[in-house]
Amino acid sequence: MCLDSIQLTISLSMTFLLSRTFLSLTLVRPSSSISMANLTTNASKSRLRGVVFDMDGTLTVPVIDFAAMYRSVLGEEEYKRIKAESPTGIDILHHIESWSVDKQQKAYETIADYEKQGIDKLQIMPGAAELCGFLDSKKIKRGLITRNVRKAIDIFHQRFEVIFTPALGREFRPYKPNPDPLLHICSTWDIPPSEVMMVGDSLKDDIACGKGAGAFTCLLDESGRYGADDFSVTGLHPDFKVDSLSKIHNILETNFDLSP
């Protein structure tokens, strides 16, 4: 074979090998980039393994006339005075703790009467059952904290067959807004508060409880009751705010790693 033929053969072989190498690199690189992008996205999301709900006004349609209850317990003049001093809402349970035993007993009986009326009219909040079904499908634990009594929780469980564990009433002390009930649930689950969300309709009770425990918080505000001024005055800024429980599903899938 002549020298020119040998050089041509070597040149064609090298060209073929280089072309194959370039083609392989071109095909592999996009696949690697996509994988890394997915890993980065997942890594940037906080893990969520439990959701704790308030009951009255969150899992159930609000039916208790709290203003009328407070007036009955406090009297009209005292009610007006305390309301003026507490624009974010009256903590009736905390207020009566300093009363005499007899006066406390009478107050608790009045509160129980209003709560019984609420139990008689109990309705599950639209979207609650569907949200719980979604949490179950993702194996995300769900608990409940209410300032209502244990009997109300039991009736809720029996009537709607949606069970929360643990489910704490005001028999557990201290109650919301103290973070202890939420911390107790996290301890029972063996899950850190940083992987739990507190959902409720009260800024001063539910969001304060969640923030105090170090959990994520979601404020359910169906009527647009709360605005930026309320958050500034209280210093409580929920991580999320929705006007329907049905919107929490999307928040969870968009913002959190829900893997078991």
Side-chain angles (χ1 to χ4, degrees):
M1 184 181 292
C2 66
L3 182 61
D4 288 340
S5 297
I6 293 171
Q7 288 177 334
L8 178 60
T9 301
I10 293 171
S11 176
L12 289 172
S13 298
M14 290 181 67
T15 301
F16 176 73
L17 289 171
L18 288 171
S19 297
R20 286 190 63 187
T21 302
F22 177 77
L23 181 59
S24 297
L25 289 172
T26 303
L27 289 172
V28 170
R29 191 176 294 113
S31 177
S32 297
S33 298
I34 291 170
S35 297
M36 286 303 294
N38 288 341
L39 287 172
T40 301
T41 300
N42 289 337
S44 66
K45 290 184 177 181
S46 298
R47 193 177 184 194
L48 192 78
R49 294 196 287 157
V51 180
V52 179
F53 295 86
D54 166 56
M55 190 172 76
D56 297 305
T58 301
L59 291 173
T60 63
V61 176
V63 292
I64 298 175
D65 187 342
F66 285 102
M69 176 199 291
Y70 299 157
R71 285 189 174 94
S72 296
V73 172
L74 300 170
E76 188 65 29
E77 293 303 316
E78 186 71 356
Y79 167 75
K80 289 180 179 178
R81 183 187 68 78
I82 296 175
K83 185 179 180 182
E85 295 175 355
S86 309
T88 59
I90 297 174
D91 187 341
I92 191 67
L93 297 178
H94 176 73
H95 187 77
I96 65 178
E97 280 183 344
S98 60
W99 292 1
S100 67
V101 174
D102 290 344
K103 192 176 180 182
Q104 275 189 36
Q105 183 61 35
K106 185 176 180 181
Y108 282 128
E109 288 173 359
T110 301
I111 292 170
D113 286 341
Y114 276 91
E115 289 174 338
K116 184 180 182 305
Q117 294 172 33
I119 289 172
D120 293 340
K121 302 174 185 176
L122 201 63
Q123 301 176 52
I124 193 168
M125 183 71 79
E130 293 80 2
L131 178 56
C132 289
F134 168 73
L135 295 177
D136 290 348
S137 73
K138 297 292 183 179
K139 294 182 169 52
I140 296 174
K141 295 181 181 296
R142 44 190 171 88
L144 185 155
I145 303 173
T146 179
R147 287 158 59 98
N148 208 323
V149 293
R150 179 72 212 186
K151 180 181 178 182
I153 298 173
D154 293 340
I155 291 174
F156 173 83
H157 282 164
Q158 293 165 9
R159 188 171 298 179
F160 303 112
E161 298 181 341
V162 182
I163 310 301
F164 295 81
T165 306
L168 306 178
R170 67 167 173 261
E171 294 83 359
F172 183 96
R173 299 294 185 95
Y175 36 68
K176 296 183 298 182
N178 191 291
D180 281 8
L182 183 52
L183 292 172
H184 173 78
I185 289 178
C186 292
S187 177
T188 301
W189 286 343
D190 194 23
I191 296 175
S194 59
E195 296 181 6
V196 171
M197 176 181 283
M198 179 73 207
V199 179
D201 67 320
S202 171
L203 188 64
K204 69 178 181 64
D205 291 332
D206 304 314
I207 304 306
C209 176
K211 290 290 184 183
F216 290 100
T217 55
C218 181
L219 179 65
L220 175 62
D221 187 11
E222 288 190 297
S223 62
R225 169 186 174 190
Y226 295 105
D229 290 344
D230 298 298
F231 304 144
S232 297
V233 168
T234 60
L236 296 169
H237 299 268
D239 298 298
F240 305 96
K241 179 184 174 186
V242 296
D243 58 14
S244 168
L245 287 181
S246 62
K247 294 184 178 179
I248 295 179
H249 179 152
N250 184 59
I251 285 175
L252 298 183
E253 286 206 305
T254 302
N255 296 280
F256 295 95
D257 173 9
L258 305 179
S259 58

